[in-house]
Amino acid sequence: MKVIQGVCPVIAGPFTQNGDVDYAGLEALVRHLIGIGAHGMTLFGIASEFHKLTDREKEEMAERFLAIIKPSPAFSMLSVTDHSTEVAVRRARHYQAMGADCLMLLPPFFLGPNVDHIRRHMHAVLEAVEIPVLVQYAPGETKLVIPVEEMAGIAAKYPHAHFKIEPNPPMDYIRALLALAPDSRILLGYAGLYMLDVLEAGGKGTMPGCSFAEIYLAIHALWTGGKQDEARSLHEKLMHYVRRWMSHAEFIIRVEKIILARRGILGSDYCREPAWELAGEDAASIDRFLAEFAEYLS
């Protein structure tokens, strides 16, 4: 079994300029991430624009993704985002049967389910599969609050449960979870803003976007290689840009697409509507970013 840790980029949803899914672009992006040494990859996260995809598109994307990544050292993760518990259980079993190494589970939030509904949903999916399940907590995007005691209960009951914790800031929640369940396996989302704090606290990795994953890999290598000061310096240099881009999820999705196209990894920077419109200064910041980090992105 592949170990769920390290730098695991969330794959952008690749589209042609007319808005169709760019399946060839998806395959090129996965090969690129394998080539730069990403420890794993996630498909159908928020950065994948999962909410703008049809079921048929998602099925073909998952098949192509898994076919390329399976022979590689990188682990594969598919996200289960359905708001119906019954549908989420079926999809989780299906993704396991397809050969995913791990699942990510976004708990339901549409129409404000209560804690008991959310608990039953998470437990049902965890009981449906044997592969690791990364329970995602993204209150900024979902407006859903899950008490830390619920997560600790999951950790105690399900050994294959992992956690993606991404409030802003996340450290109080993460420390509380580790205090209640010290063996919890935690990864950070949120564009890696707090990746070094999480690693220092005992977290296992980060799940940034995919357009400049080389920089996150360099930071991770410095940190795990004992060069913490250098890791912090590079991380702060990167966060100078990322903090603004992460002011809205659609903002950084748009920026990442532009960078992928500018780097020639994808053929188009198209985002399905509704999409973020960049201001002039934001476009200029991408130019400065690409120039400043050229040594990592060439």
Side-chain angles (χ1 to χ4, degrees):
M1 183 178 292
K2 296 177 181 178
V3 180
I4 312 304
Q5 63 183 23
V7 177
C8 173
V10 179
I11 295 173
F15 302 109
T16 64
Q17 202 56 42
N18 64 4
D20 294 332
V21 173
D22 180 4
Y23 295 107
L26 171 67
E27 293 176 355
L29 179 51
V30 174
R31 291 192 179 96
H32 163 75
L33 293 171
I34 292 171
I36 65 173
H39 301 106
M41 279 162 258
T42 302
L43 185 59
F44 307 135
I46 292 171
S48 308
E49 297 176 74
F50 75 83
H51 51 297
K52 301 176 185 177
L53 298 168
T54 69
D55 279 351
R56 182 173 296 179
E57 289 169 339
K58 289 170 73 174
E59 182 71 6
E60 184 165 354
M61 290 173 73
E63 288 176 354
R64 290 177 182 240
F65 167 62
L66 292 173
I68 296 171
I69 196 172
K70 277 181 183 178
S72 79
F75 64 84
S76 59
M77 188 182 302
L78 292 174
S79 187
V80 175
T81 60
D82 306 277
H83 288 266
S84 158
T85 301
E86 292 85 353
V87 177
V89 164
R90 286 197 291 269
R91 195 179 303 276
R93 287 174 174 156
H94 178 58
Y95 285 165
Q96 177 177 261
M98 290 178 74
D101 296 308
C102 180
L103 303 177
M104 184 161 69
L105 173 62
L106 183 65
F109 57 89
F110 186 63
L111 298 182
N114 62 36
V115 171
D116 187 54
H117 291 142
I118 296 163
R119 180 190 305 116
R120 294 205 303 265
H121 185 99
M122 293 189 294
H123 287 207
V125 172
L126 282 157
E127 289 169 8
V129 298
E130 298 172 354
I131 58 177
V133 177
L134 192 74
V135 179
Q136 182 177 9
Y137 181 44
E141 288 68 34
T142 65
K143 312 307 177 189
L144 175 72
V145 175
I146 302 176
V148 69
E149 292 79 8
E150 290 295 331
M151 295 297 196
I154 286 173
K157 187 172 183 179
Y158 302 104
H160 63 308
H162 297 5
F163 301 93
K164 182 186 182 188
I165 305 298
E166 45 192 350
N168 183 27
M171 294 313 300
D172 287 347
Y173 195 99
I174 287 172
R175 291 190 185 103
L177 177 55
L178 289 170
L180 293 170
D183 295 330
S184 296
R185 196 168 191 86
I186 296 173
L187 285 82
L188 171 73
Y190 219 77
L193 261 78
Y194 306 94
M195 68 176 286
L196 298 184
D197 295 331
V198 172
L199 290 173
E200 189 171 42
K204 303 303 181 184
T206 190
M207 299 172 65
C210 62
S211 69
F212 44 92
E214 294 94 333
I215 309 172
Y216 292 99
L217 286 163
I219 295 167
H220 186 269
L222 287 169
W223 183 268
T224 57
K227 299 179 180 180
Q228 280 79 15
D229 289 343
E230 292 179 48
R232 288 197 181 279
S233 177
L234 180 56
H235 182 260
E236 181 55 33
K237 185 178 173 183
L238 176 62
M239 291 305 110
H240 171 75
Y241 294 93
V242 172
R243 284 191 190 96
R244 172 160 175 76
W245 295 341
M246 270 301 293
S247 60
H248 193 284
E250 290 281 11
F251 187 176
I252 196 164
I253 287 170
R254 185 79 179 107
V255 167
E256 296 244 15
K257 287 285 190 68
I258 292 171
I259 292 172
L260 285 166
R262 291 274 297 272
R263 297 184 64 193
I265 298 168
L266 291 181
S268 166
D269 62 11
Y270 190 89
C271 296
R272 281 184 171 172
E273 296 290 345
W276 191 269
E277 297 290 336
L278 288 191
E281 170 54 29
D282 295 325
S285 74
I286 296 174
D287 293 334
R288 292 194 299 272
F289 169 82
L290 290 171
E292 188 168 349
F293 290 97
E295 65 180 296
Y296 298 95
L297 306 177
S298 57

